[in-house]
């Protein structure tokens, strides 16, 4: 059974940086969609960045453009999210997700959940203080 495990969250001040890690086990995602989703209390998760692991093509939500960088090391089965110039609006849980069906169509986050075998991590908390 595929599992995703996030790490790297923490507390930073406004303008700070963090790197999030997502390590996959039980499955390889060399030609799939993977992504990072942000969720705040009372709201549903929304995709901030996704990547097609085969081509490396990326998508960023407007809030993340110019500040966040998503990347993937297929050999290590690990995905990363470099977060720069963080603001209090970035506070929340960050979840890693992977699409079970191989695909290059990774725009946005709507691909998640189309298959019962899509994977979702336990989340890592990012807290940005003013």
């Amino acid at each position: 059974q595929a599992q995703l495990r996030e790490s790297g969250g923490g507390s930073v001040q406004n303008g700070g940086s963090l790197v999030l890690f997502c390590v996959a086990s039980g499955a390889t995602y060399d030609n799939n969609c993977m992504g990072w989703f942000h969720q705040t209390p009372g709201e549903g998760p929304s995709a901030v960045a996704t990547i097609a692991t085969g081509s490396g093509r990326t998508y960023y939500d407007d809030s993340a453009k110019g500040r966040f960088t998503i990347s993937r090391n297929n050999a290590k089965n690990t995905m990363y999210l470099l977060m720069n110039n963080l603001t209090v609006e970035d506070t929340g849980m960050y979840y890693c997700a992977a699409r079970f069906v191989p695909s290059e169509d990774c725009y946005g986050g709507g691909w998640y959940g189309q298959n019962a075998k899509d994977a979702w991590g336990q989340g890592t908390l990012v807290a940005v203080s003013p």
Side-chain angles (χ1 to χ4, degrees), residues 110-126:
W111 47 265
Y112 178 75
Q114 294 181 6
N115 189 294
K117 294 183 178 180
D118 291 343
W120 187 260
Q122 87 288 348
T124 187
L125 179 63
V126 171

Side-chain angles (χ1 to χ4, degrees), residues 47-127:
V48 294
T50 64
I51 186 168
T53 60
S55 66
R57 187 169 59 189
T58 58
Y59 154 85
Y60 294 95
D61 180 76
D62 286 344
S63 66
K65 287 179 182 176
R67 300 188 303 127
F68 294 1
T69 302
I70 187 171
S71 61
R72 160 83 176 169
N73 185 325
N74 285 351
K76 295 184 177 181
N77 218 10
T78 300
M79 181 175 65
Y80 311 90
L81 186 68
L82 170 60
M83 310 167 73
N84 290 323
N85 196 21
L86 286 161
T87 72
V88 294
E89 287 75 25
D90 298 316
T91 293
M93 290 294 292
Y94 283 78
Y95 296 92
C96 167
R99 188 175 190 179
F100 176 75
V101 175
S103 175
E104 283 283 315
D105 182 12
C106 306
Y107 181 82
W111 47 265
Y112 178 75
Q114 294 181 6
N115 189 294
K117 294 183 178 180
D118 291 343
W120 187 260
Q122 87 288 348
T124 187
L125 179 63
V126 171

